[in-house]
Amino acid sequence: MLRSRLVRRERTDVLLKPFARLRLHPIAWSLLSLPFAFAGMLLLGRGELIPGLLMFLASGAMDVIDGAVARATSTVTLLGAYVDGVLDRYVEILLILGLMLYLGDRVNLRISLLFSILIFGSLMTSFVRAYADHRGLVRDQEELMRMGGFLERAERLMLLYACIISGLYSTDLLIFLLTITALLANLTVIQRIFLILNYARRSSGR
């Protein structure tokens, strides 16, 4: 939702088109997001918040470049979209694990539960929509993609980046923002389920 509002595909495609000259396949650009994210996780675990944040921002840049290159070279494929979606989940989990490692010995049962809820919400947000497509509950792909919700991936990442920055000032603030992110992620799951159920009910009544 936020990404579609703030980032115009036409503009980013023009700006990123030169990357196509490097002759890297779009899937290769997608795969490059993983080493940056892994490095970011390790840096966060070592308490190096700003370098860790920069690594995750670089990982996000790879996620934007891959699509722009695919469109510039007319190599947009379902396989590429699938790989990109799977890698997005890995990058997000590495970001969450990096924050968990940063808290280190300050992690207790309450914080462990918070991270579990956050990871569950992050994964389920995409799953409920993908499973609705798999089961054929929503046949209109445009309608399916419009079922965004309170906190899509772009918003979650922005909140998680805010968590990293807040860690420079206060652990309590970091934990508070993590709690907000976890709650909103799971509310988004519930919201998407209701949106899908309502769509399926309307469709069956046609």
Side-chain angles (χ1 to χ4, degrees):
M1 188 75 71
L2 184 64
R3 181 174 174 177
S4 62
R5 289 175 181 172
L6 297 182
V7 181
R8 295 281 183 180
R9 178 179 289 182
E10 297 81 6
R11 293 178 184 174
T12 56
D13 281 358
V14 171
L15 290 172
L16 300 176
K17 190 174 181 178
F19 284 98
R21 297 173 187 167
L22 297 176
R23 299 183 182 279
L24 270 180
H25 194 278
I27 291 179
W29 284 108
S30 298
L31 290 171
L32 282 174
S33 66
L34 268 186
F36 280 112
F38 189 75
M41 180 194 72
L42 295 179
L43 287 167
L44 291 181
R46 290 168 52 182
E48 299 181 36
L49 294 178
I50 295 302
L53 174 60
L54 291 175
M55 286 296 102
F56 278 107
L57 290 175
S59 176
M62 298 302 107
D63 187 40
V64 179
I65 291 171
D66 62 1
V69 169
R71 288 184 288 275
T73 57
S74 300
T75 52
V76 176
T77 63
L78 291 175
L79 175 61
Y82 175 76
V83 170
D84 182 58
V86 171
L87 292 175
D88 283 350
R89 305 285 78 73
Y90 275 101
V91 168
E92 193 169 343
I93 294 303
L94 287 171
L95 174 52
I96 294 170
L97 290 177
L99 287 167
M100 190 172 185
L101 289 172
Y102 168 71
L103 290 174
D105 56 7
R106 287 165 286 189
V107 173
N108 53 32
L109 181 60
R110 180 173 63 89
I111 303 301
S112 297
L113 180 61
L114 169 61
F115 274 108
S116 299
I117 294 171
L118 176 56
I119 291 171
F120 179 80
S122 296
L123 294 176
M124 287 298 292
T125 303
S126 298
F127 174 79
V128 291
R129 190 160 64 182
Y131 199 57
D133 185 32
H134 171 67
R135 288 296 184 183
L137 281 176
V138 183
R139 301 184 186 280
D140 186 337
Q141 292 299 308
E142 290 187 6
E143 179 76 19
L144 186 66
M145 295 309 296
R146 282 196 294 269
M147 294 176 183
F150 300 117
L151 202 69
E152 295 189 87
R153 184 173 183 264
E155 289 93 331
R156 278 200 311 276
L157 289 179
M158 289 187 69
L159 277 175
L160 290 171
Y161 294 158
C163 289
I164 296 174
I165 295 171
S166 69
L168 294 168
Y169 306 99
S170 167
T171 300
D172 289 338
L173 179 58
L174 191 163
I175 293 171
F176 173 75
L177 288 176
L178 280 175
T179 304
I180 295 298
T181 308
L183 289 173
L184 288 176
N186 282 277
L187 281 174
T188 302
V189 174
I190 296 170
Q191 183 187 21
R192 282 189 176 181
I193 290 172
F194 276 103
L195 287 171
I196 290 164
L197 290 176
N198 285 334
Y199 177 87
R201 193 177 298 114
R202 291 198 312 271
S203 298
S204 63
R206 288 175 186 171

